[in-house]
Amino acid sequence: MIAGRGRQRIRPPRRGLHGDEIDFESTWDIIQAAFREIHTKNASRLSYEELYRHAYRIVLKKKGEDLYKKVKEFEKQWLSGEVRSSIQLLLSPNLLADAQSVGGTTANERRVAGEKFLKGLKQAWGDHQVCMSMLADVLMYMDRVYCQDHRVPSIYTTAMVLFRDEILHSRTSAKDSRPLLDLLSHVILEQIQMERDGDVIDKHLIKSCVHMLDGLHADDLESENQRLYNVSFEQDYLNTSRVFYRGEAESMLRESDAGEYCRRARKRIHEEEDRCRATLLESTTPKIQKVVEEELIQNRIKELVEMESGVRFMIDNDRLDELNLIYDLNARVDTKKSEVTRAIQKRIVELGTEVNNDAIAASQAAPPPAPAADGGDKPKGQAQEKSLNLQTAAAIKWVEDVLVLKDKFDKVWRDSFQSDNLLQTAMTRSFADFINSATFPRSSEYISLFIDENMKKGIKGKTETEIDIMLEKAIILLRYVQDKDLFERYYKKHLCRRLLMNKSISNEVEKQMISKMKMELGNNFTMKLEAMFKDMTVSEELTSGFKKHVEGLGDRDPHRIELAINVLTSMTWPMDTIGGPGDNDEDRRPKCNFPPAVEKIKRGFEKYYSEKHSGRQLTWLPNMGTADVKAVFPRVLQKDGSFKERRHELNVSTYAMVILLLFNELPAGQHITFEEIQAQTNIPHSDLVRNLQSLAVAPKTRILVKEPMSKEIRPTDMFFFNEGFRAGFIRIKVGVVSSGNKVESDRERRETEKKNDDSRSHVVEAAIVRIMKQRKELGHQHLVSETISQLNGKFKPEVSLIKKRIEKLIEREYLERVEGGEISSYRYLA
Amino acid sequence: MTKQKRTPEDEAEIRRRRAQSQKDKARNQQQKEEEIIHRLADRITRVIQRLPPSATKPSSLIVPVGCSSISSQALIMEARSKKFMHDIAQVFDDAKYSDAKIVIHGVVLPVHKSVICTQSEYFQKAFQSAFVEGDLGILTFNEGSGAAYWRVFEYLYTVRYSDHLPKDFVNDSPLLKDPRMYSLADMFFLDDLKALSALKLKEKLQLEHLWTSDSFPDCVREVYSCTPNSDRGMRSAVVEVARAHTYQLGQKAMFRGLVGEGGDFAVDFIFPEPLDVPDDPPHTDQTEW
């Protein structure tokens, strides 16, 4: 005790050190009275200093424990008496009845009753907190000295626990033994359910009660996972929510379409998020989110995606926002988005297969060559011709359809799938799947044809950007193509024709395309294509060089023939396409007998060439060439009545030129038979037939007259020079049937594929040898997979092909089997 | 500092100079005091950190060469904190900016909540709670030594408490002054004041040999009645001195009477605790003799 004023008040001995017992009771009475005032909200006249001093003294007198117990007892009395009864007054009979069996009362009545109860509880809790913090302030010295020294919880904490025990754990009523806490959970759950059903509830009120539950612990250790909120409410909430959403998912699937389902599911998810924020605790957000996602998405996503109005419907009807919704939902439960991905992939392959089938159908829809029906007035060749044109159109349509499809899905990907990388990969795979589908082997050819068509016609009059877009499109498709080697083969073939026949509109664009492919597929891929361009340039130089050379020879021959020549490297150019001696059909094509004048200049060039490049052999390909021939037709009666000699410049194929020159030596009115022509020129039968068709059958270029007059060329036919030939123009181009780039016929394709497979064998062998040379020894599986990965950029080799090539290499003693190993493996033989 | 102007010297100037010289004197006095305070502060920190005196060389104050900006920053900060302390001390017992009142045995002391509530949770609660103090902004102390209460507030503003008697309170005797400061510091949760007052008492007893005073037994009684059992700061100070001079004290009837009273002091006197026990030892059974 602090002594009073000055030294006068020195206490007598034998007092003071022990503190006086009598003081405690009276002091406690003062304190207790004050606490009562505080609890009845009447504290403003109380002196803090005085109360604090009383409590301080008690503690100083070592009566801290007694004080603590007294306060605790006091609070217990207060709670179990005043507070508990006031709360029990709030429990209206129907609230209690509802707690056991729902029914009887309306939702609104229940809501009001529930709110009344919650309000009362909130009020009691709030009061208790306020009062206890005031008490704790007054008892601060006790908390600091007694509670800390004796390791007992602060009075405030103890009082909060008392609230739990005396109020929340108390029986609901004399008849109802369930604790108030259960009723509280039930009421809150009911209120939340009302809100889910569209009612407006007092969120703030519930939040207050939730805070109370969060502030109290189920045990006395105050461990984090033992909060009343988590122990007695949260799990209930999650369970009832699960039941609710399971039911809702079912009814929504029944009643609404997929888009509507997504919208409502998303709304529910957001609602729950908001509910945790506004009504419950944010710590519940991930848990309830999981429940909702499991019930509304995870367990239903498959059904949802496959609904009639599901992903397929959304794609077909461009429901981009709904696709975005379903993507978003899927992404919530599955980082891989596998259901949506699967549906998208399926749809791509379906639509792609449709495009494939359309292309096949279109190419087959061409009138089948039916000689019986129209053989009489249409040559069979033309029917075929028409069918080929249709096929080309189908090819171009196919490319464009695929591009449209690609655009469509790109848009979906961008707008609905948030440019998701995983989905992009999946979609790319699906495009590759149908483009490389085993049932549709034409994609390489079609893409090449598409480029061919554009190079010849499509880009006419287009701006640079438009052309660039077109080229880019082709590249996009090319990316999907697995068998790049096959594409290369077709591209080479088509490019070759474009170059040799001057069909390309712009050399510049051709080169642009090559450089794009170079960027996309690498140097190796374009090397040979570039070599073709180089050959063309070299040939131009050769032509002009030869011209100069001839001029330098001296006397100028007025009948000298001008020669324009293309010298093609046989390894670079597709010889089979241009009719040169291929590997297999060497010398199949007989040499054509040129007229002497032509023969002379041919020899002249050969000499010139061999002087420049010794050791090279030139093979002439007359079937690819053209010739400009000046023809003089005798005077015949013109329309205006005059007789006039007519001069025409005929642009004909080399073969046609050779044929026509035969008639120079023929007296007027004489004829030559087909067999004679063949014997003299040595032109291959089919070529001869086609050339004669254009010269003697095609009405506009009928320079020869055939006897008998028919569309078919027969070996016995006789040919005359048509002296009465008329034409509107000076320059006449005599076309030869079948010279453009067309879709291959099935037979041609089989050939192409066979050739491709042959060259693949070499490539595979080369790869195997490369790998083995480096590794020396390697297991079978490893070798196969490494070979596949090496060739990935070119094509996907069949495993059987690799096996076969390994066998061959063993036969040829490049490799040997390693004996006695557990797994079969090979060794490289140097 | 007042500026000296080169104006004709008139009486006002003279007055000013006189005032100045007085101020200077006061400042010298203050500087002396400050030196003492600094020494004290050093010891206080030592007590608080419970370090042996030899280990308190401020090794952490060594500033690396070439970091002059850091050291000058430190200087500025130091000057600033001195200035700040000075400024706060200026408003002690000053109604300016005051937002509450303390009444000690009828003497009104204007205070600043921002100064006292930040230092002690007691004042914080007293003025915050819904009690009459919070309502009126007046905190009244009518019990105990008024001088001690006054000195607590002096300490809160000036970091020291003086020996001279403030206002017209009855002064505490030298040996009761510090125990009462200690007791109030304990009640108001001012740990540094506790350390300071305990140190002061120790110095008085040991250096000034006040243990020989007749009021020493009363001092012991005061110490034991106004601190809780677990609080050893003051108790060990008196026990230490008493044990160091057992023989001389034993000659004194007053002291024998004190021991004869029994109680906690007698126990501590006979069974002293080891010197380096922590301030708050783990709970031991309260011995009621």
Side-chain angles (χ1 to χ4, degrees), chain A residues 1-3 5 10 13 18 44 46-49 52-53 56-57 60 62 137-138 140-141 144 149-150, chain B residues 121-122 125-126 129 131-133 140 143 180 183 186-187 189 218 225 228 230 261 264 283 286 289:
Chain A
M1 192 170 192
I2 296 169
R5 299 177 182 230
I10 295 171
H18 288 283
S44 62
L46 297 170
S47 160
Y48 177 80
E49 189 271 337
Y52 182 92
R53 181 158 37 82
Y56 164 73
R57 279 187 188 165
L60 212 53
K62 304 176 186 172
D137 286 352
V138 167
M140 191 163 47
Y141 196 80
R144 287 286 178 91
D149 286 355
H150 295 80
Chain B
E121 215 177 323
Y122 176 94
K125 301 289 187 200
S129 294
F131 295 100
V132 68
E133 286 88 351
T140 313
E143 306 229 351
R180 284 176 181 166
S183 160
D186 181 46
M187 189 169 95
F189 309 115
D218 276 344
S225 70
S230 56
E261 284 166 25
D264 290 340
H283 166 236
Q286 278 182 312
W289 283 35

Side-chain angles (χ1 to χ4, degrees), chain A residues 804-815:
Chain A
K804 212 182 276 170
R805 283 355 282 177
I806 293 174
E807 294 300 325
K808 286 274 184 250
L809 286 169
I810 291 171
E811 263 173 41
R812 305 215 302 270
E813 295 190 336
Y814 280 98
L815 306 178

Side-chain angles (χ1 to χ4, degrees), chain A residues 335-402:
Chain A
T335 49
K336 288 187 195 140
K337 283 86 53 179
S338 30
E339 284 303 331
V340 169
T341 308
R342 193 176 310 147
I344 286 285
Q345 284 191 305
K346 186 164 167 248
R347 195 62 194 141
I348 291 176
V349 172
E350 277 170 9
L351 291 173
T353 311
E354 261 172 45
V355 171
N356 286 353
N357 291 343
D358 282 355
I360 293 170
S363 61
Q364 284 169 352
D374 50 12
D377 45 58
K378 262 191 190 172
K380 194 178 169 187
Q382 263 185 15
Q384 264 174 350
E385 174 85 344
K386 201 156 196 180
S387 128
L388 281 176
N389 270 332
L390 267 165
Q391 290 219 22
T392 308
I396 287 155
K397 184 169 183 301
W398 178 84
V399 169
E400 269 156 8
D401 285 352
V402 173

Side-chain angles (χ1 to χ4, degrees), chain B residues 88 115-116 119 123 151-159 190:
Chain B
I88 295 293
V115 175
I116 62 168
Q119 297 188 66
F123 298 113
R151 285 191 180 112
V152 167
F153 290 100
E154 186 188 9
Y155 171 81
L156 287 179
Y157 278 84
T158 65
V159 209
L190 298 166

Side-chain angles (χ1 to χ4, degrees), chain A residues 85 169 265 348 495 502 578 621 732:
Chain A
S85 59
H169 284 173
I348 291 176
L495 175 66
N502 267 329
I578 49 182
L621 301 171
I732 297 159

